Amino acid sequence: MENPKKGKSEQKKRSSFRDIWQLIIKLIVALLVIVWFIKEYLQNDELNVISLIILLILLAFIIWLILRQKHVVILRCKLIAPGSCVKGDPNIIAGKILEPVVGDAYGLGFSHYLLEVRDPGANLLTNVVIYPDGSGNPDTSLSQGNHPVTGGMLGWIDMGKAVNDAGIILLTSTTFEITLRVFGIDGSEKAPPCMLHFDVSVNEVYIRRVSTPWAVDFVDPDEQLRRADDPASDLATIGGNMHVRGAANIYGCAGEKIDEYTIWAIPDPSFSFVQPAPFTSVTPQPDWVEVSHIEFKSQTINGTTYSANDVRAYNMLDGDPNPDILTNTWGTRKECICVHIDMTLSCSCWKIPDLKASAFNSNSKLLPHKLDPSHEGGTGKFTFLLQVIDTSGNQYYDIQRAWIDNEKEVAKIEGIAGVKQCQDLYTLDAKGKFKTVEIEGTAWDALIDPSGPDLTKPTSDNFDKYEVKFQKQGAAGEVEVITSHSPVPARPAPVGTGVLAKWDLEWLNKSTNPMGLPVDQLLDKGESCTYNLILRVWDLTIVNEHAPGIHYSGKITFPIKIINGSEPKP
């Protein structure tokens, strides 16, 4: 049986041979026509207009036949850029990071050209190339290059889409391939096509968590921290000691590795600080608070010198599988290696450079830059800025918005129906009816942003709850009067005194016991005893990386003597 590939090859050879002879015949005919015209001119010694017109018509017809039957197609291609290391340009088309492709695509009989991009796994990526229009401007509607190009712009690679489509392959390789294919009007293709390889500069630079709350959509520079890694979770406020967690790692292009990184906390009352563009520099302002700065450089420990590359290898901050702690200082750790030699186990240990977690105290470190002077601690709206600089001097950034609260709750009981601590309170009025009394005091947490005022929950107004309980002297437990999630006094009134709860004193009467309370909390008629009123207040702030919020007032007590009887007549 004949080999199909061999048959096609023979057919192609016969076709090419036939095309060559047809082209030769057409050229001979054209020469004969020209010779005839010259002969006529020499014989008559004058230019015959009719003969000239016939000559031009015949030559045009022959040229048309040559082009129509596609006898002559000579194509050229060349790729000049992208270079070996690609970063892309965010300023060509808004919302896209594009890498220019420069080179040649032209020739006799040129029709069009295609650019093909393959990821490090050799997979052909779709819709990642943007071609130029007739004026050389990007035209996202084009699916091929329709104009010959000589040493100019062939198109642009949508690096954002290319990298996203390459996906997890980038963890092992960042080398992409671009192919330029040039086609003639006869459907033929320049062989071989032109190819170029380039590496993508990959940076893992992001803040994923501040304290324990999460930046769920950490790519969004306006994302605020949430209590859980869930977009439906409540926004979070944080305080006390905390770490910043995320990634600070650069790889891809040869020679580009992390050199240093810095984290600043920036007072940002309107959350308007703009994330700096990559490859640009920033100048820290006087109110920026540096919370961490790490340089990767050679270190000598116990007489052993570790190069900067060794230090990087031992301390990779790539955020995998969990966000790495970025608030660090340099220290050491012990690494041990065990091997079997001649069936004998031998182990050796060395101390190597190690990044040690170092939390910063937001209360003291941010205190000079609090949003409002009336606050007691480092409280306000802050933007955290992470800057990573590589060994080539390139700079990368990420920001994270954070509501920081170091304000203590206000919890006080002022009195019960005007009765102060340790004074007598009667359960019955002068007419012998059980009284309902108001418990007066304060259960309050200051707004993080008092301007306006900003009553946004659960951020600026992150009050959680308060509870009022009572306990008879000697009783086993406490009895709840009220639990409320509204501060006293109510917003937007400033801190002051209000009504914490209304208390029906018949609750304490043993003979009726309307609430079914334990006997040790009750009074017989005419009996008296000391009771403690107890107030506790909480907010929602996650303090010292503990959840739920543990800004807690503690146990506030108010002792009072209660007499189960009628108050004396005036």
Side-chain angles (χ1 to χ4, degrees):
M1 184 176 178
E2 184 180 358
N3 188 329
K5 291 185 178 179
K6 183 178 179 181
K8 287 183 180 179
S9 177
E10 293 295 333
Q11 183 180 1
K12 187 174 181 180
K13 287 180 181 179
R14 287 195 297 269
S15 176
S16 299
F17 183 75
R18 183 172 63 250
D19 285 346
I20 292 171
W21 274 109
Q22 287 179 358
L23 175 62
I24 292 173
I25 291 170
K26 290 180 177 72
L27 292 174
I28 291 173
V29 171
L31 288 173
L32 290 174
V33 170
I34 293 171
V35 169
W36 167 79
F37 174 78
I38 293 173
K39 180 184 176 184
E40 287 290 317
Y41 172 73
L42 293 175
Q43 285 180 346
N44 299 326
D45 198 24
E46 63 178 350
L47 181 64
N48 188 309
V49 176
I50 295 176
S51 298
L52 177 61
I53 293 173
I54 293 172
L55 171 66
L56 294 176
I57 292 173
L58 288 174
L59 289 176
F61 180 70
I62 292 170
I63 293 172
W64 178 82
L65 285 175
I66 291 174
L67 295 176
R68 174 68 178 171
Q69 295 175 355
K70 304 168 184 175
H71 292 306
V72 180
V73 175
I74 302 173
L75 303 173
R76 296 287 183 266
C77 77
K78 183 179 181 180
L79 282 171
I80 301 172
S84 59
C85 183
V86 164
K87 299 178 177 67
D89 187 344
N91 300 314
I92 299 173
I93 295 180
K96 293 183 180 293
I97 300 175
L98 303 182
E99 180 66 25
V101 182
V102 179
D104 302 336
Y106 67 95
L108 189 61
F110 170 86
S111 171
H112 65 280
Y113 65 87
L114 293 174
L115 292 170
E116 296 177 344
V117 180
R118 286 176 169 79
D119 67 18
N123 302 302
L124 179 64
L125 303 178
T126 59
N127 301 319
V128 298
V129 175
I130 298 174
Y131 293 94
D133 58 18
S135 302
N137 299 313
D139 186 342
T140 56
S141 67
L142 297 177
S143 58
Q144 62 185 30
N146 295 318
H147 308 281
V149 177
T150 305
M153 191 66 66
L154 294 167
W156 297 264
I157 304 172
D158 185 340
M159 293 308 304
K161 189 174 189 308
V163 168
N164 185 69
D165 290 354
I168 199 169
I169 295 174
L170 293 177
L171 293 177
T172 54
S173 175
T174 62
T175 302
F176 287 73
E177 177 185 274
I178 183 169
T179 302
L180 171 59
R181 301 173 62 191
V182 182
F183 297 87
I185 55 177
D186 62 347
S188 63
E189 179 181 352
K190 164 73 173 68
C194 294
M195 293 196 315
L196 194 65
H197 292 87
F198 61 89
D199 288 318
V200 175
S201 178
V202 177
N203 68 85
E204 297 169 314
V205 176
Y206 58 84
I207 295 173
R208 192 75 167 90
R209 307 181 80 173
V210 183
S211 184
T212 54
W214 292 82
V216 179
D217 183 9
F218 61 88
V219 177
D220 181 0
D222 293 320
E223 171 76 347
Q224 297 180 37
L225 296 169
R226 296 186 179 274
R227 298 182 73 85
D229 192 11
D230 181 347
S233 176
D234 284 341
L235 295 176
T237 56
I238 54 178
N241 296 316
M242 62 184 70
H243 292 95
V244 177
R245 293 173 170 85
N249 185 38
I250 296 173
Y251 68 97
C253 295
E256 292 188 355
K257 300 174 183 177
I258 186 171
D259 190 49
E260 62 178 288
Y261 72 86
T262 308
I263 302 171
W264 292 277
I266 302 171
D268 195 4
S270 59
F271 278 158
S272 58
F273 181 86
V274 178
Q275 179 171 313
F279 316 119
T280 61
S281 60
V282 298
T283 301
Q285 299 304 303
D287 61 346
W288 292 19
V289 181
E290 183 180 291
V291 297
S292 186
H293 176 74
I294 292 294
E295 296 181 24
F296 290 82
K297 56 187 178 182
S298 63
Q299 297 187 38
T300 300
I301 300 172
N302 292 343
T304 301
T305 299
Y306 299 90
S307 69
N309 281 333
D310 293 332
V311 174
R312 293 185 192 98
Y314 296 140
N315 298 278
M316 186 175 294
L317 300 170
D318 60 358
D320 183 30
N322 299 308
D324 291 283
I325 291 177
L326 302 178
T327 39
N328 295 303
T329 57
W330 281 115
T332 62
R333 73 173 185 267
K334 185 177 288 188
E335 289 290 313
C336 297
I337 297 176
C338 295
V339 295
H340 280 89
I341 301 175
D342 293 333
M343 304 305 291
T344 301
L345 182 65
S346 176
C347 296
S348 300
C349 296
W350 299 267
K351 283 189 174 182
I352 63 172
D354 183 41
L355 287 172
K356 296 290 188 180
S358 177
F360 76 97
N361 188 319
S362 65
N363 189 24
S364 60
K365 198 148 194 171
L366 305 182
L367 182 60
H369 307 291
K370 56 191 176 182
L371 187 68
D372 184 86
S374 65
H375 283 310
E376 294 184 6
T379 296
K381 294 159 74 175
F382 289 81
T383 292
F384 285 85
L385 172 62
L386 168 63
Q387 177 198 58
V388 178
I389 303 176
D390 68 17
T391 49
S392 295
N394 299 311
Q395 302 180 60
Y396 304 91
Y397 300 93
D398 189 49
I399 63 173
Q400 180 56 54
R401 315 292 193 193
W403 292 82
I404 295 183
D405 175 25
N406 286 295
E407 195 80 22
K408 295 180 180 178
E409 293 76 17
V410 181
K412 291 191 293 185
I413 299 176
E414 297 286 355
I416 305 174
V419 178
K420 301 300 182 182
Q421 288 191 36
C422 301
Q423 293 182 349
D424 294 344
L425 175 64
Y426 291 85
T427 60
L428 303 173
D429 60 20
K431 296 180 180 180
K433 184 178 179 181
F434 283 104
K435 294 188 293 188
T436 297
V437 294
E438 292 182 343
I439 303 173
E440 301 143 349
T442 306
W444 182 262
D445 181 53
L447 297 172
I448 295 178
D449 183 359
S451 63
D454 183 351
L455 302 179
T456 307
K457 288 180 174 290
T459 49
S460 182
D461 182 3
N462 69 335
F463 184 87
D464 183 16
K465 65 180 180 180
Y466 73 89
E467 65 178 23
V468 178
K469 295 184 176 182
F470 67 85
Q471 183 179 25
K472 183 182 177 184
Q473 189 175 29
E478 300 173 358
V479 177
E480 180 182 304
V481 178
I482 189 174
T483 295
S484 173
H485 293 276
S486 299
V488 177
R491 308 286 193 203
V495 61
T497 301
V499 176
L500 296 170
K502 292 186 177 182
W503 187 20
D504 184 352
L505 296 182
E506 189 180 359
W507 288 13
L508 308 181
N509 185 42
K510 184 181 292 186
S511 62
T512 56
N513 192 10
M515 302 301 292
L517 302 181
V519 175
D520 61 357
Q521 300 284 2
L522 304 176
L523 294 171
D524 285 319
K525 186 176 180 180
E527 183 183 2
S528 64
C529 192
T530 298
Y531 282 75
N532 268 326
L533 280 177
I534 301 161
L535 172 64
R536 298 179 176 93
V537 182
W538 294 266
D539 71 8
L540 294 169
T541 298
I542 297 173
V543 182
N544 300 330
E545 302 196 349
H546 294 290
I550 56 167
H551 265 166
Y552 166 52
S553 65
K555 181 179 178 181
I556 307 299
T557 59
F558 183 91
I560 193 166
K561 179 182 177 183
I562 297 181
I563 303 167
N564 190 11
S566 298
E567 60 185 21
K569 293 182 180 181

